[in-house]
Amino acid sequence: GDQWIDLPGVSIALLDTVIAEQTTGTISPEQLQWIDDFSASADRPVVVMGHHQQWVAGARHDGYFGLDPDSADGLTEVVANNPGIVAYTAGHTHRHRVRSMNCGVPSIEVGCVKDFPGTWAEYRVYEGGIMQVVHRISSPEALRWSDRCRHLMSDFGIDYEKYALGNLEDRCFNIPLR
């Protein structure tokens, strides 16, 4: 389910974007209203987190491998109207990538610990914004497992290592306050 978590210096809105037995995700109108209501009364920056990455641009279709385009547009509208929301983050793609919503707020995809490169994101809150710092797992057992996934999509002609890592600026960066 959805959860609102107040932490020192930041509020986190956790969204359940899952559609049972589907790879695509959605955000209901009720969830969008919930984010809108809570964000409007928040006394600190808000980071919205869901599982599915946001559709930002390209050909619209209901089979998009992330949030359906209508949900993604609804999220962008809520974010545009609530200057306290500073980012949306998701992990569905298991890669590091940052794109911008048309309102200028980052839509962030974060890698995963189980596949190559075996990473997780830390968010450091400070007076001027929030910093995303990506760390790599460190136990030898986990690294061996992660390394086995280095060529995960080679059968499809995809360089998974490049896909998953993204660019350095997609892993470690500052999220400014609005």
Side-chain angles (χ1 to χ4, degrees):
D2 304 326
Q3 295 181 42
W4 186 270
I5 303 168
D6 286 321
L7 298 169
V10 67
S11 291
I12 307 295
L14 296 176
L15 284 179
D16 181 356
T17 62
V18 172
I19 302 171
E21 300 180 20
Q22 301 291 316
T23 59
T24 59
T26 193
I27 302 173
S28 71
E30 294 79 19
Q31 287 174 299
L32 291 171
Q33 187 63 56
W34 176 78
I35 297 167
D36 193 32
D37 292 345
F38 272 88
S39 298
S41 62
D43 63 352
R44 62 198 81 187
V46 176
V47 175
V48 180
M49 296 180 171
H51 178 76
H52 294 85
Q53 81 282 5
Q54 188 178 23
W55 177 87
V56 174
R60 293 178 73 90
H61 59 92
D62 291 334
Y64 177 68
F65 182 69
L67 288 176
D68 67 85
D70 290 340
S71 294
D73 287 348
L75 178 60
T76 297
E77 185 177 326
V78 168
V79 171
N81 292 330
N82 286 282
I85 301 175
V86 297
Y88 174 72
T89 69
H92 186 57
T93 60
H94 296 196
R95 71 168 164 192
H96 296 284
R97 179 169 74 161
V98 179
R99 296 174 297 156
S100 183
M101 297 181 206
N102 65 13
C103 60
V105 172
S107 187
I108 303 163
E109 297 170 45
V110 178
C112 73
V113 294
K114 75 170 191 70
D115 293 342
F116 181 83
T119 57
W120 56 277
E122 169 189 6
Y123 294 94
R124 297 179 185 177
V125 179
Y126 64 99
E127 296 83 14
I130 300 168
M131 181 186 315
Q132 176 178 292
V133 179
V134 169
H135 300 273
R136 186 145 194 239
I137 55 177
S138 59
S139 79
E141 298 85 6
L143 286 169
R144 274 194 298 280
W145 174 263
S146 171
D147 202 49
R148 291 175 59 189
C149 300
R150 185 182 294 264
H151 305 290
L152 196 62
M153 298 177 155
S154 60
D155 291 351
F156 302 104
I158 296 172
D159 179 350
Y160 189 73
E161 184 174 340
K162 184 175 182 181
Y163 167 88
L165 280 172
N167 300 314
L168 178 59
E169 58 269 15
D170 291 327
R171 295 190 299 273
C172 300
F173 54 88
N174 288 314
I175 302 168
L177 303 181
R178 296 172 59 199

